[in-house]
Amino acid sequence: MYHNWEDLEKSVIGCKKCKLCMNRTNIVFGTGNKQADIMFIGEGPGADEDRQGIPFVGKAGQLMNKALQALGIDRNKLYITNIVKCRPPQNRVPEQDEAEACLDYLRNQVILVKPKIIVLLGSTALKNICGQEYGITASRGKWIEKKGILYMPTWHPAALLRDETKKIEFWRDLKQVKHKMQELNAKN
Ligand code: URA
């Protein structure tokens, strides 16, 4: 556990805990507001992210940006990261040992950010954070509360590129996040 961002990021940059380190161009640590109330967690970097070292800059990320913008959610106010920090070959789903090797970094990021809400983008994020028993189809759109953090599972933006009908649900789920944040802010 690192108490500051510099040490944490340094340890991720040098990480060789799993085989994903062998093919990475850049690690994709995370981006955004380090004191964000809302954190977004995806699966793992794709080709564009690996090249630039920034999460969600490819096609799926651009689609997510459009939804955020239309809903009036400022991406710069969020903290965005992934389950694994290095690109899995051919964008395959991270294997269990890879996700587990990387999860301590993510837990450390959550401790440092202290978000009130975490949006889980897709099945990999949901299962690794909330438990393997959760399925994205049944869980999306429903709040899960754990240790004082509210989790909103929703579709991964890449799923919206494959199936347009999911866009409406994604939009609805993000709207719930926006409203919940307004509700929490009104209480303080
Ligand atoms: N997909 C993800 O899960 N994360 C990214 O950063 C980009 C695409």
Side-chain angles (χ1 to χ4, degrees):
M1 160 80 194
Y2 295 95
H3 297 281
N4 67 73
W5 286 99
E6 293 73 28
D7 289 346
L8 176 60
E9 188 159 5
K10 226 185 272 169
S11 77
V12 179
I13 288 170
C15 182
K16 292 198 171 110
K17 286 205 281 183
C18 85
K19 57 191 174 297
L20 295 182
C21 71
M22 294 192 290
N23 295 309
R24 72 180 170 221
T25 310
N26 288 295
I27 66 126
V28 179
F29 180 72
T31 189
N33 183 344
K34 289 176 172 143
Q35 278 127 29
D37 286 327
I38 307 174
M39 192 161 167
F40 276 54
I41 301 176
E43 180 175 293
D48 295 300
E49 291 77 18
D50 175 66
R51 218 174 292 124
Q52 296 186 43
I54 305 166
F56 287 102
V57 289
K59 262 198 182 148
Q62 286 163 23
L63 183 57
M64 185 171 84
N65 289 348
K66 266 194 198 163
L68 292 172
Q69 205 174 10
L71 282 163
I73 301 172
D74 185 352
R75 177 170 160 145
N76 298 316
K77 287 193 179 158
L78 311 172
Y79 191 79
I80 304 175
T81 189
N82 285 302
I83 294 291
V84 292
K85 311 305 194 225
C86 298
R87 183 190 181 199
Q90 282 85 46
N91 299 341
R92 63 158 169 75
V93 175
E95 290 169 3
Q96 210 43 46
D97 62 316
E98 296 160 354
E100 271 163 28
C102 220
L103 270 177
D104 276 344
Y105 298 132
L106 180 61
R107 289 194 191 102
N108 206 150
Q109 287 173 305
V110 172
I111 289 169
L112 291 174
V113 174
K114 299 186 210 72
K116 296 186 172 87
I117 293 172
I118 295 182
V119 177
L120 299 169
L121 299 164
S123 167
T124 301
L126 173 64
K127 285 181 183 290
N128 281 289
I129 302 290
C130 290
Q132 296 295 329
E133 68 275 23
Y134 285 89
I136 192 67
T137 308
S139 303
R140 64 139 283 277
K142 297 177 192 150
W143 291 105
I144 299 167
E145 187 167 6
K146 271 187 181 209
K147 296 184 188 164
I149 298 178
L150 284 166
Y151 293 89
M152 173 54 70
T154 189
W155 299 121
H156 190 287
L160 316 179
L161 293 169
R162 294 189 292 266
D163 177 1
E164 288 258 332
T165 64
K166 292 191 165 84
K167 280 188 181 173
I168 297 166
E169 291 171 335
F170 182 71
W171 178 278
R172 238 186 255 148
D173 299 344
L174 290 189
K175 242 185 181 172
Q176 282 202 69
V177 170
K178 185 181 173 177
H179 291 153
K180 179 65 77 182
M181 204 57 243
Q182 285 169 339
E183 199 183 301
L184 294 176
N185 284 337
K187 275 190 200 159
N188 295 322

